[in-house]
Amino acid sequence: MAVNKEVFLSLQQELQPHGAALIAVSKLKPASDILELYDLDHRDFGENYVQELANKYQELPKDIRWHFIGHLQSNKVKYIAPFVYLIHGVDSLKLLQEIDKQGRKSNRIIDVLLQVHIAREETKFGLSEEELLDVWRSLSAAPLANTCLRGLMGMASFTEDAGKIQFEFAHLQSLFHRMQKAELAGSRVDTLSMGMSADYKLALQAASTTIRIGSMLFGPRG
Ligand SMILES: *Cc1c(COP(=O)(O)O)cnc(C)c1O
């Protein structure tokens, strides 16, 4: 299955007035699909699996910005730390500290987003609001030198109920806004990563800065 270029071009137009960025989620899709978008000057791609990402990084052009959007285990951070552009799904202080450690080893500052659990209905990964505040407090007390906190990421419930999704996105947006106002040392909070193929329009209405689109561009997976 090839890339739907018409969808890609119309998405770009749709995003423009919002100033929002597009991450093309290429998990489980071949390198050839990525190159099709690369040839249209797209550079931001999202992947969920460490081994797959490491392989694609080896194989593909080095100016691609790789976003890790999956659930990251601490013992695998080292495989992506040397090159990853932004890690979206940080859901514990322990993971954040490991990213910082691997950032130091790679002599870089790694940008991260904290993942917040906003879906009411399902068990998705992420911090509760309480846990988010805890991580935040720890960071203010002891800033990390090799990570830069760029914002928040979340996934809404998988539902037809637009009202519920809007509520969840608005909640994440308000946490993001609070975080921006807090001006935590060592952070540069400018990224609110929310919205996927099924709900990106609602996410844009709720001031998402970054949407993560897979199946709409690359077709259904597996
Ligand atoms: C797979 C995935 C996406 C893309 O989902 P689509 O519905 O295919 O657009 C976005 N975000 C995360 C975290 C994902 O795992």
Side-chain angles (χ1 to χ4, degrees), residues 35-94:
L35 285 172
E36 280 189 50
L37 285 187
Y38 183 87
D39 288 340
L40 296 174
D41 289 333
H42 193 70
R43 293 293 179 269
D44 291 276
F45 292 90
E47 291 283 339
N48 287 55
Y49 309 105
V50 167
Q51 189 60 53
E52 182 180 354
L53 172 54
N55 292 344
K56 284 174 170 167
Y57 169 72
Q58 289 299 330
E59 187 177 344
L60 286 159
K62 292 296 175 279
D63 61 341
I64 287 179
R65 295 187 288 262
W66 292 108
H67 297 254
F68 191 82
I69 64 170
H71 183 66
L72 184 57
Q73 289 170 285
S74 293
N75 61 353
K76 295 197 171 162
V77 175
K78 56 178 176 284
Y79 301 113
I80 62 170
F83 66 87
V84 70
Y85 182 73
L86 176 64
I87 300 177
H88 290 232
V90 178
D91 61 358
S92 73
L93 187 58
K94 175 173 163 270

Side-chain angles (χ1 to χ4, degrees), residues 148-179:
C148 179
L149 186 55
R150 299 294 299 269
L152 299 177
M153 180 265 212
M155 291 167 86
S157 295
F158 187 71
T159 171
E160 300 278 297
D161 182 349
K164 175 170 273 155
I165 297 172
Q166 278 169 328
F167 181 85
E168 292 170 356
F169 282 159
H171 178 56
L172 189 60
Q173 202 278 334
S174 76
L175 290 172
F176 177 68
H177 194 64
R178 273 171 65 188
M179 213 172 150

Side-chain angles (χ1 to χ4, degrees), residues 23 25 27 47-49 69-70 88 115 153-155 158 193 195-199 211-217 219-221:
I23 296 174
V25 176
K27 61 181 174 214
E47 291 283 339
N48 287 55
Y49 309 105
I69 64 170
H88 290 232
Q115 182 171 358
M153 180 265 212
M155 291 167 86
F158 187 71
S193 169
M196 308 171 35
S197 293
D199 56 19
I211 62 170
R212 311 175 307 266
I213 303 292
S215 47
M216 218 180 122
L217 288 169
R221 288 175 292 269

